[in-house]
Amino acid sequence: MTSTEQAPGPGAGTAHPEHLGHVIFIAASAAMGGFLFGYDSSVINGAVEAIRSRYDIGSAELAQVIAIALIGCAIGAATAGRIADRIGRIRCMQIAAVLFAVSAIGSALPFALWDLAFWRIVGGFAIGMASVIGPAYIAEVAPPAYRGRLGSFQQAAIVIGIATSQLVNWGLLHAAGGDQRGELLGLEAWQVMLGVMVVPAVLYGMLSFVIPESPRFLLSVGRRERARRVLAEVEGKGIDLDARVAEIEHAMKREHKSTFKDLLGSSFLFKRIVWIGIGLSAFQQFVGINVAFYYSATLWQSVGINPTDSFLYSFTTSIINIVGTVIAMIFVDRIGRKPLALIGSSGMVIGLALEAWAFSHPLVDGKLPATQGLVALIAAHLFVLFFALSWGVVVWVLLGEMFPNKIRAAALGVAASAQWIANWMITASFPSLADWNLSGTYVIYTFFAALSIPFVLKFVKETKGKTLEEMG
């Protein structure tokens, strides 16, 4: 599924819809999938210790329950494009909404550990679908003059979803007297945390019934008049609709459907540019960013911070994530992708190294010494800030731009798969690594943050200001 045409047709590049507010509403509705992506990804943070206690499991088993959702993510991301091309973008959103809701209910009412794991996979599948269909749909319905700004809604929605889940978790924990297993609405608090996601899932499903189908999909199934009406609705009646329809149809006819074979170089190895994309995806995860969103409450409790405060710090970290994302959205087109990545890597090295130092000190009465505790908190927020203002946004921008047209779709698929795999590796390994040596774990993340600097300097080319046709 290709999400954009390369060059706007007559009048399209400067088209200003009469009802820009309506176009923003359409993009924001589609971005609800991104909100659920962020919410579902991080809501488990509030249930980690309760799951460990309820099912009496060790760190290795716990890690698999947390990380297993990523299997569903990978499958959902790999299949969403074909599903959307076959039944439409809106139907794909509706399927994802149903899966989010079912996963929320199932996760809140598990019979056993395997049951909880199954619903985690279902939710992961919905996340994978949302990660693909949201940006594609927004790009296809957004007027070219507003495409970049409207496209940023997806990333903004993800980080807002993460922050919202942490705020809701903190509020529910407070209502349950600071006990993740405390009674709340007839259930344990952690069950309510996981179940609350049904609310935004239902809202997402309802919104999908009031926004139009993508004109690109409508044209692909021969519904030209409906496509014309949607184009007039989102790009304005002043554009040449016949020329715009002809432009999209022409772009669709000449598109090359990239395959895995196109990615191979000599000796059946990937082409160099594909390896660079895989490297960017791997480094984005190997710095340990998802530890901050999946395990932060557990991490702070392990060094003596009480549960309620640990949830509050998880929320403040999410707010910093939003701030950093906004900074990246402002500067990624001004100073470039490569400089922003290098700035972020340098800041992450400092933050992670300080965390490693703080966690290296022995606990006193079950807590870090006051100085080390303060340093750990500041460094954790510093790390998330520098990640969010750089690698959190830059990697996705680069992956969308850096590949030649002929292999873009297939190469992006491989790079995205590498990202899910790397995410799973970090998520599944953290509890056992933390049991082994928490400071040593952060030394490992610091090493990867430092290694990303020469990687960017040597292998990554700046894509700022270049057309997609210039990439190879």
Side-chain angles (χ1 to χ4, degrees):
M1 178 177 60
T2 304
S3 59
T4 62
E5 284 73 59
Q6 304 306 331
T14 56
H16 293 271
E18 296 84 68
H19 307 292
L20 180 58
H22 180 56
V23 178
I24 293 174
F25 170 76
I26 291 172
S29 298
M32 271 297 296
F35 177 91
L36 282 158
F37 176 170
Y39 195 102
D40 194 24
S41 295
S42 62
V43 71
I44 194 67
N45 186 23
V48 173
E49 290 307 305
I51 292 171
R52 188 201 299 266
S53 170
R54 175 162 173 168
Y55 297 105
D56 191 24
I57 55 176
S59 295
E61 292 172 288
L62 177 67
Q64 293 308 317
V65 174
I66 305 304
I68 201 167
L70 299 172
I71 296 175
C73 291
I75 298 172
T79 58
R82 291 185 180 182
I83 293 173
D85 283 342
R86 186 175 296 270
I87 66 173
R89 284 52 164 156
I90 297 298
R91 289 287 179 266
C92 195
M93 290 182 198
Q94 291 164 354
I95 291 172
V98 170
L99 292 177
F100 275 123
V102 169
S103 170
I105 295 170
S107 298
L109 304 170
F111 300 109
L113 189 63
W114 67 266
D115 181 39
L116 175 60
F118 172 76
W119 296 119
R120 294 275 298 150
I121 295 175
V122 172
F125 191 94
I127 291 174
M129 292 184 73
S131 72
V132 172
I133 195 62
Y137 172 83
I138 293 172
E140 290 178 357
V141 300
Y146 300 96
R147 183 172 293 144
R149 281 164 285 183
L150 293 176
S152 68
F153 278 25
Q154 175 78 359
Q155 181 63 23
I158 291 172
V159 296
I160 292 172
I162 292 172
T164 302
S165 72
Q166 303 305 324
L167 180 60
V168 170
N169 283 355
W170 175 79
L172 292 174
L173 184 72
H174 187 75
D179 182 3
Q180 290 183 24
R181 297 195 61 187
E183 184 176 342
L184 199 61
L185 302 178
L187 301 171
E188 294 184 3
W190 70 273
Q191 294 177 274
V192 180
M193 292 176 188
L194 299 185
V196 164
M197 193 181 67
V198 74
V199 176
V202 170
L203 177 60
Y204 181 39
M206 293 172 62
L207 288 171
S208 71
F209 284 97
V210 298
I211 59 177
E213 180 56 87
S214 156
R216 186 184 182 89
F217 172 76
L218 292 171
L219 288 173
S220 74
V221 294
R223 299 175 61 186
R224 296 182 89 251
E225 283 307 310
R226 177 56 182 154
R228 284 169 57 89
R229 289 198 297 272
V230 174
L231 285 169
E233 180 182 347
V234 299
E235 294 194 16
K237 297 178 181 178
I239 68 167
D240 186 336
L241 290 176
D242 290 330
R244 190 76 178 97
V245 167
E247 174 203 2
I248 296 174
E249 289 180 327
H250 177 68
M252 291 168 64
K253 288 177 182 177
R254 62 185 173 84
E255 282 171 356
H256 172 81
K257 299 294 184 182
S258 54
T259 65
F260 186 81
K261 186 178 179 182
D262 294 325
L263 307 182
L264 302 179
S266 58
S267 304
F268 298 98
L269 295 175
F270 286 132
K271 294 178 178 178
R272 184 174 184 268
I273 190 66
V274 179
W275 281 116
I276 295 173
I278 292 172
L280 284 168
S281 290
F283 276 117
Q284 188 195 54
Q285 297 301 317
F286 284 167
V287 296
I289 186 59
N290 278 314
V291 168
F293 300 124
Y294 296 163
Y295 296 114
S296 60
T298 297
L299 173 65
W300 296 128
Q301 289 173 52
S302 73
V303 293
I305 293 176
N306 70 65
T308 303
D309 285 346
S310 72
F311 276 56
L312 179 61
Y313 295 143
S314 295
F315 172 64
T316 58
T317 301
S318 300
I319 295 299
I320 292 295
N321 190 31
I322 294 175
V323 172
T325 300
V326 171
I327 293 172
M329 291 165 62
I330 292 172
F331 289 104
V332 69
D333 284 324
R334 296 185 181 182
I335 68 174
R337 290 76 163 127
K338 191 169 179 176
L340 209 55
L342 292 171
I343 292 169
S345 293
S346 302
M348 287 191 294
V349 168
I350 295 171
L352 289 167
L354 287 172
E355 284 191 87
W357 172 80
F359 293 140
S360 69
H361 288 259
L363 303 183
V364 178
D365 296 327
K367 297 182 179 180
L368 280 176
T371 299
Q372 283 73 26
L374 180 61
V375 169
L377 281 172
I378 294 174
H381 287 74
L382 185 71
F383 162 60
V384 171
L385 174 64
F386 275 97
F387 175 87
L389 65 80
S390 59
W391 285 75
V393 171
V394 164
V395 168
W396 287 109
V397 173
L398 283 170
L399 292 180
E401 297 175 336
M402 64 187 284
F403 301 116
N405 281 335
K406 183 179 179 181
I407 67 168
R408 179 167 291 113
L412 183 53
V414 168
S417 296
Q419 192 165 122
W420 288 120
I421 292 169
N423 189 342
W424 174 82
M425 292 172 65
I426 294 298
T427 305
S429 64
F430 176 75
S432 296
L433 284 173
D435 284 350
W436 161 69
N437 188 314
L438 184 57
S439 177
T441 301
Y442 274 83
V443 169
I444 294 172
Y445 300 154
T446 304
F447 169 76
F448 281 113
L451 193 61
S452 70
I453 295 174
F455 176 83
V456 170
L457 287 171
K458 183 172 177 60
F459 297 112
V460 177
K461 293 183 179 180
E462 180 59 68
T463 57
K464 171 191 171 185
K466 296 183 179 180
T467 65
L468 296 182
E469 288 73 23
E470 292 179 78
M471 306 302 169

